[in-house]
Amino acid sequence: MTQIVQMKNMNKYFGKLHVLKDINLTVEAGEVVVIIGASGSGKSTLIRCVNGLEEYESGKLVVDGNELAPKGGNQKSLAAIRKEVGMVFQQFNLFPHLTVKRNIMLAPMKVKNASQVIANATAERLLNRVGIGNQANKYPSQLSGGQQQRVAIARALAMEPRLMLFDEPTSALDPEMIGEVLDVMRELAKEGMTMMVVTHEMGFAREVADRVIYIHEGQIVEEGKPQDVFDNPQNERTQAFLSRVLAH
């Protein structure tokens, strides 16, 4: 299979703080990799490195055949990577002065140089895909949090990405809205979208992931199939983490 992401001995620092330590990780095309771990363990930093939102200091990072150089190196691959990678954040980051449809149209028009006609059709198709086609002409403030996050997913999909990154996409949502966002992500997984997901939703991870990665203090200390990681974790740190989060 094609490797969409390759990390080899990747290290990231914030000043003197060693945030990611010799990360070795590959993600295959069509694979759903869920990254779990305590707050501050480096999960979000790891996926933010994949599209260049954070620069790493040493090692190697290749995304869809484009090598992203370490900090201070040649960044010519960054534009190519960002055309192939969609990202959904904790916060929705929608433009409040634009309608839902216009928010989505910006991505294909700016990134893919699509015409307004094509961008309009793309926006309508994707809003229907995420289940809110009837909200196209509303403004973000008129939508629930779950609806806004689905708009953000549609906007990322409008770039026709090869890889989708999700950085705790449900953490800012009320509990009753979490399910509707996870349902959209489940459908993407079924359709074969390559995904890297940082989440605290362990039920989702168990159900959807092809592989679960547990990070502790910037290191991958355990990875495997969901049933292996959740039902029979080998590392004592993984065991301690899961005993805490699964007890609630």
Side-chain angles (χ1 to χ4, degrees), residues 3-21:
Q3 289 186 342
I4 300 295
V5 177
Q6 298 170 284
M7 298 177 178
K8 293 183 179 179
N9 300 319
M10 193 178 78
N11 288 275
K12 165 69 181 172
Y13 293 83
F14 287 125
K16 294 182 179 180
L17 182 62
H18 198 174
V19 182
L20 296 176
K21 304 170 183 175

Side-chain angles (χ1 to χ4, degrees), residues 159-233:
M159 295 165 48
E160 299 179 342
R162 298 252 295 157
L163 169 67
M164 284 284 285
L165 308 175
F166 292 88
D167 186 6
E168 298 189 25
T170 60
S171 64
L173 299 177
D174 292 333
E176 65 269 21
M177 298 177 186
I178 291 173
E180 60 191 56
V181 173
L182 294 180
D183 284 344
V184 172
M185 295 170 65
R186 287 186 184 96
E187 288 302 312
L188 290 177
K190 288 178 183 177
E191 293 167 8
M193 174 63 73
T194 310
M195 298 161 61
M196 295 180 71
V197 183
V198 171
T199 186
H200 293 291
E201 300 294 334
M202 298 300 153
F204 172 84
R206 181 188 287 271
E207 176 189 352
V208 176
D210 295 301
R211 191 156 39 110
V212 173
I213 308 290
Y214 173 66
I215 293 185
H216 176 76
E217 295 182 353
Q219 293 180 300
I220 295 175
V221 299
E222 187 144 3
E223 65 177 294
K225 293 184 180 299
Q227 60 267 31
D228 295 331
V229 173
F230 287 113
D231 296 338
N232 190 29

Side-chain angles (χ1 to χ4, degrees), residues 29 32 55 58 86 95 124 128-129 166 191 236:
V32 178
E55 295 181 310
S58 65
F95 292 107
E124 291 181 350
N128 286 321
R129 184 177 179 183
F166 292 88
E191 293 167 8
E236 61 182 19

